[in-house]
Amino acid sequence: MNNKVRLKVKPAFVKKMKAGYPLVDAEAVINKQDVTSEGTLIELVDERGQFIAQGYYGEQNKGIGWVLSKNAHEGINKEFFKGKIKRALDERAAFFNDQDTTAFRVFNGEGDGIGGMTIDYFDGFYLINWYSEGIYRFKAAIIDSLMALMDVKGIYEKKRFAKKGAYMEDDDFVIGEHAPAPLIVKENGMNFAIYLNEGAMVGVFLDQRDVRKAIRENYADGKHVLNTFSYTGAFSIAAALGGAAKTTSVDLANRSRSKTAEHFMINGIDDGTQDIIVEDVFNYFKYAVRKQLTFDMVILDPPSFARSKKHTFSAGKDYPALLQEAIQITEKNGIIVASSNCSTFSMRKFKGFIEKAFKETGDTYNILREFGLPKDFKTNPEFKEGDYLKVVIIQKTT
Ligand code: SAH
């Protein structure tokens, strides 16, 4: 596609790269200055000039590019992209065949062999997330591959390479038919309203599918459920459909009220029977304690980092305190669903947070179930950071 630039890998990083680590760290290469144009193909070599891997240059919030192949002779061309995409689509055959689920991830970046981009499927429409200008340079090859391989209704894109992975405000339509707004998709029979052209977030986080199913089938029946950081209320809908006595959804964003009401409505639930509250979660906890409100289930799914008027929340630092707030208003034998998508700490550390929080409040607990990413969010075993999701279902036993 274009001329390759040779990048020398520092000795300390050679072993890791040879073992299959797919991200090119800025600190891993000696002559980074030799590559300046996004999308340039790169060849990684050791100090003696021996081939390690080839890939592309693309500046992201982490790393300066991704390995595409460990074979020196493999051409990085249209066929290469088509091959990777075909394989990823084939691996999702069970999802395509499931009539009850019409929204899932079909390509998960480095997990499927091309870091820096993801593709999600929404009932015939495809949504591509581009995480660097470098990968965006291969757009034509990727779009052509999708169009050739699938019966595509339409394609949308999110350019997330303005600054630090931020979303660039744009018209996100690429090709084909325009999707209805909302586009109603299904997940295990549940309906979700997707807006493909209204900003970075389209209405549902697909990586929580298995957790929603578990809440609905195993934990919600007859329960009073508090869903914090509720966004469009997806967990509340799952709980309500699972027989919850009542759900309370709390999110700071104004949009969450109408989006959550819409989600109840399209699932045949009268939103008037549920509470949807637009407020800072940390204020709500104080209010609940003051009013002696308690819940049988509290769902915690905060962003990794958030700043509101009065609070800054950083998952790696503040999760134990958040858990303590939840423990205080959870009934005896009640459930806490603790979730984090923060890639800077592991499940082990997350369980340490849980232990710490319960120690502080003096309560006891059992871990009932744990979740990571679902199957369609395929990960690369050499890239632990990519395996970011941690969800723990905890029962408070005091
Ligand atoms: N749990 C949601 C996804 C959460 S996304 C789901 O399953 O779909 C994170 C949400 O947290 C956003 O909607 C954002 O508006 C909200 N948020 C961030 N800080 C908050 C705060 N301090 N109080 C309440 N909501 C907050």
Side-chain angles (χ1 to χ4, degrees):
M1 287 186 161
N2 47 14
N3 288 329
K4 276 184 202 164
V5 171
R6 268 189 145 198
L7 292 181
K8 266 203 172 139
V9 176
K10 289 180 192 163
F13 290 86
V14 167
K15 199 173 156 210
K16 193 173 168 187
M17 299 296 305
K18 277 195 175 153
Y21 187 72
L23 182 70
V24 185
D25 274 316
E27 314 85 72
V29 296
I30 292 165
N31 55 327
K32 178 181 180 280
Q33 70 283 359
D34 288 355
V35 59
T36 50
S37 175
E38 291 271 338
T40 302
L41 294 180
I42 55 178
E43 193 172 83
L44 301 163
V45 297
D46 67 14
E47 292 242 293
R48 284 173 300 156
Q50 248 183 15
F51 176 85
I52 301 171
Q54 52 168 333
Y56 74 90
Y57 167 64
E59 296 267 353
Q60 267 182 243
N61 51 351
K62 48 181 180 198
I64 59 160
W66 293 92
V67 167
L68 294 175
S69 174
K70 285 169 81 184
N71 174 351
H73 307 292
E74 186 165 18
I76 307 300
N77 48 29
K78 279 198 158 189
E79 286 67 50
F80 172 86
F81 286 102
K82 195 170 173 187
K84 291 283 184 222
I85 292 171
K86 178 168 189 319
R87 186 175 157 177
L89 290 164
D90 288 348
E91 286 179 4
R92 274 75 173 181
F95 285 94
F96 280 107
N97 290 331
D98 178 357
Q99 308 248 319
D100 286 334
T101 297
T102 57
F104 48 90
R105 178 149 292 189
V106 293
F107 198 96
N108 196 38
E110 71 286 349
D112 284 296
I114 306 173
M117 71 144 183
T118 62
I119 310 176
D120 292 329
Y121 175 82
F122 294 101
D123 196 23
F125 291 88
Y126 290 79
L127 173 66
I128 308 178
N129 277 289
W130 309 106
Y131 288 93
S132 73
E133 217 176 317
I135 190 66
Y136 191 67
R137 298 283 166 93
F138 299 102
K139 174 173 168 175
I142 292 162
I143 301 275
D144 288 354
S145 303
L146 260 185
M147 298 292 286
L149 291 164
M150 302 306 284
D151 195 4
V152 173
K153 283 192 198 156
I155 300 178
Y156 285 76
E157 68 182 359
K158 304 290 170 194
K159 293 181 210 156
R160 293 172 180 268
F161 47 81
K163 260 187 232 132
K164 289 191 183 163
Y167 164 76
M168 264 159 79
E169 220 36 76
D170 220 338
D171 182 353
D172 295 333
F173 175 71
V174 179
I175 194 170
E177 282 171 41
H178 284 264
L183 168 67
I184 308 294
V185 299
K186 277 194 189 305
E187 178 189 277
N188 293 313
M190 212 176 338
N191 293 320
F192 289 123
I194 303 300
Y195 293 83
L196 290 177
N197 211 1
E198 288 182 14
M201 301 199 292
V202 299
V204 69
F205 289 98
L206 299 174
D207 54 3
Q208 298 278 11
R209 180 187 313 111
D210 296 345
V211 182
R212 286 188 282 265
K213 185 165 190 260
I215 287 175
R216 179 176 177 181
E217 291 180 353
N218 306 119
Y219 301 107
D221 198 19
K223 303 291 168 60
H224 283 92
V225 177
L226 173 65
N227 180 14
T228 63
F229 307 94
S230 57
Y231 181 45
T232 61
F235 285 127
S236 309
I237 311 305
L241 290 174
K246 186 173 174 187
T247 67
T248 301
S249 305
V250 183
D251 195 291
L252 194 58
N254 269 321
R255 62 168 187 237
S256 68
R257 189 189 302 279
S258 58
K259 300 263 182 201
T260 304
E262 177 181 37
H263 270 163
F264 278 121
M265 196 189 75
I266 63 171
N267 283 287
I269 299 156
D270 177 1
D271 62 276
T273 61
Q274 312 292 321
D275 280 346
I276 305 171
I277 298 171
V278 175
E279 201 187 348
D280 190 318
V281 161
F282 299 97
N283 289 343
Y284 185 80
F285 280 127
K286 288 203 187 78
Y287 164 85
V289 169
R290 207 165 57 237
K291 295 275 174 184
Q292 295 183 311
L293 301 181
T294 55
F295 296 88
D296 307 305
M297 183 191 291
V298 178
I299 301 168
L300 302 172
D301 182 29
S304 298
F305 188 83
R307 183 171 285 143
S308 62
K309 273 183 204 141
K310 285 193 196 139
H311 278 96
T312 302
F313 175 84
S314 167
K317 204 162 57 52
D318 304 319
Y319 214 110
L322 175 66
L323 275 160
Q324 282 183 48
E325 305 261 25
I327 293 166
Q328 279 185 62
I329 59 168
T330 302
E331 286 279 353
K332 178 172 183 190
N333 292 325
I335 301 281
I336 296 174
V337 178
S339 170
S340 180
N341 61 4
C342 186
S343 60
T344 59
F345 57 85
S346 63
M347 180 59 112
R348 208 185 131 133
K349 187 155 176 206
F350 193 42
K351 285 193 194 160
F353 289 169
I354 295 168
E355 196 181 326
K356 183 173 175 211
F358 276 92
K359 209 173 225 167
E360 282 298 323
T361 64
D363 291 290
T364 55
Y365 67 100
N366 279 325
I367 289 179
L368 302 183
R369 229 171 133 178
E370 291 168 33
F371 295 85
L373 285 170
K375 261 200 175 142
D376 48 330
F377 283 65
K378 190 179 174 187
T379 54
N380 178 334
E382 299 302 328
F383 190 66
K384 298 274 179 278
E385 306 93 299
D387 198 2
Y388 59 85
L389 188 67
K390 300 161 281 289
V391 184
V392 182
I393 300 192
I394 310 158
Q395 182 163 40
K396 176 182 168 184
T397 48
T398 42

